[in-house]
Amino acid sequence: MVTHEHSTILLTGATGYVGGQLLPALLDAGHTVRCLARRPERANLDARAQVVAGDVLTGAGLDAALDGVDATYYLVHSMGRGNKGDFAAQDRQGAETFGAAAARAGVSRTIYLGGLDDASVDNGESEHLRSRHEVGRILSEQTDGVVYAQAAMIIGAESASFVILRHLVKRLPVMLTPRWVDTRSQPISILDVVGALTTLGSMSAPPSEVQLGGAEVLTYRAMMGRFAAVMGRRAPAVLRVPVLTPRLSSYWVSLFTPVEAGLVRPLIDGLSTEMVVRIPPPAGINDTPLGFDEAVRRALAPSENYPPRP
């Protein structure tokens, strides 16, 4: 695999979970990394990184932050996090503003992380997945060199989907679930996501789209049983109730997990959509992803997930 080094990278979303895991990997790979933050004084990040002020919605500070940058990572989304507005509209605005600024700066590559599903079919009620694909399309229209990485459910200590799964398995002996309990997914470890994103930043000719998944395809029912076994607990009894709507399902998930309510509903809406890799990534990107059980064990370990596995 032919690679090249970027001297300077602008990382957006560094204070989020995936961005926070990606930052030390980029620094250890020898990159100079600038982290974009609306309030740099509040960003508690790796001391090796530069922290610069900027806002992808208003565009404030973007031109200065992008000056001299070779590549960017766009890991911004407005869903949840106390946001009471229209997250899809805000994500649309952010992509348009950032993409235009990256084009003005002549940035040669932008790596964007979205959700994995079949973009060629209707996503039903999942505004979350529709919005993720829209952001990828907007970025590609605004600036050159966009790499759209699409990941299935991320297994990591602070991944919202993982936190929901962990608390449901831990707290509920019996679960009433709608049809999504038998939807297939290909959950992927945060370690493998970070590894793939780091590789995409240094490949000389990366693909424009990459689908990322773990080593196994599982239903959510199977995940809950396997998760319980890793935790040394009895698997919860899962009773499928076809009439339980995503709205009602999100209510009981909110009751039994600490995940912010603004995140729960769109995530639950997306569970009815299969997240399975249909086009494997090129060699050198996510070649040997972790299996589900090992990914869960790593995520439950007291230490942080990074550094990557050997």
Side-chain angles (χ1 to χ4, degrees), residues 164-232:
I164 288 173
L165 189 63
R166 183 181 70 201
H167 279 80
L168 291 180
V169 169
K170 184 177 180 180
R171 299 187 62 182
L172 293 181
V174 178
M175 290 187 225
L176 300 178
T177 62
R179 289 188 298 269
W180 58 255
V181 73
D182 291 315
T183 301
R184 298 191 311 156
S185 185
Q186 197 166 342
I188 180 170
S189 169
I190 182 64
L191 301 176
D192 293 317
V193 172
V194 167
L197 292 177
T198 303
T199 298
L200 289 170
S202 59
M203 288 184 70
S204 61
S208 59
E209 292 191 9
V210 177
Q211 297 182 7
L212 301 175
E216 300 172 81
V217 175
L218 301 166
T219 65
Y220 290 99
R221 183 195 301 270
M223 281 188 233
M224 287 186 275
R226 297 266 292 269
F227 200 119
V230 172
M231 295 176 67

Side-chain angles (χ1 to χ4, degrees), residues 87-88 91-92 95 112-123 126-141 146 148-151 209-211 273-275 278:
F87 74 82
D91 281 345
R92 188 178 308 120
Y112 163 63
L113 178 64
L116 173 63
D117 76 324
D118 189 348
S120 66
V121 300
D122 182 12
N123 290 317
S126 179
E127 184 180 10
H128 162 51
L129 291 174
R130 289 198 303 271
S131 176
R132 295 292 80 207
H133 288 310
E134 182 182 36
V135 168
R137 176 183 58 78
I138 291 172
L139 288 172
S140 296
E141 292 172 349
V146 172
Y148 180 15
Q150 303 173 42
E209 292 191 9
V210 177
Q211 297 182 7
T273 301
E274 278 199 350
M275 295 188 179
R278 291 173 172 81

